[in-house]
Amino acid sequence: MNDRPVYGPASPEPAHGAVAEIDAATRRLMAALDALESAVERRREADRDEDELATRIQALGVDRSRLADKLDSTLVKSRRLERANREIAGRLDVAIGTLRDVLDAENAADDPS
């Protein structure tokens, strides 16, 4: 099959200027289609980047929640340890005082003066 249009007596062959205009319009159309294809590809890439960013943000949110829970449990444990430390320090102070009293009493018993 021939791609050239068939021109008969009812349809005269287009003038040379018309062919040049068609060629120029075809080139503009091809350039516009290339630009459109490039724009579509850039948009797809931007969408992929946006999806990747959304996934990363979601992962960061999960990590933040996990870290917040861990921090809360660590704070509770820290407070328990501080209370235990204060209690032990108080008991040690009492024990040291008792030992000093016993030692002072023994020294006083050994020294009859």
Side-chain angles (χ1 to χ4, degrees):
M1 183 176 243
N2 190 354
D3 289 343
R4 271 184 68 202
V6 177
Y7 297 103
S11 58
E13 192 170 320
H16 180 64
V19 171
E21 286 180 26
I22 291 172
D23 285 345
T26 301
R27 284 192 299 276
R28 287 193 308 271
L29 176 61
M30 294 304 290
L33 289 174
D34 287 344
L36 178 61
E37 186 177 328
S38 295
V40 167
E41 184 56 36
R42 284 191 308 271
R43 181 60 197 185
R44 284 182 182 154
E45 188 174 318
D47 287 347
R48 281 190 300 269
D49 290 346
E50 188 176 310
D51 290 344
E52 184 179 319
L53 182 59
T55 301
R56 286 183 180 182
I57 288 171
Q58 183 178 10
L60 287 173
V62 169
D63 283 349
R64 184 195 170 283
S65 294
R66 182 183 53 80
L67 289 172
D69 289 343
K70 191 171 184 178
L71 177 62
D72 288 344
S73 66
T74 301
L75 287 173
V76 167
K77 184 177 180 180
S78 174
R79 288 182 185 129
R80 271 189 272 135
L81 289 172
E82 286 174 4
R83 278 193 305 269
N85 186 33
R86 281 192 301 271
E87 184 179 328
I88 291 169
R91 288 180 183 183
L92 283 173
D93 286 343
V94 169
I96 289 170
T98 301
L99 287 172
R100 283 189 179 143
D101 290 345
V102 169
L103 289 174
D104 288 344
E106 235 179 68
N107 285 339
D110 288 344
D111 188 22
S113 56

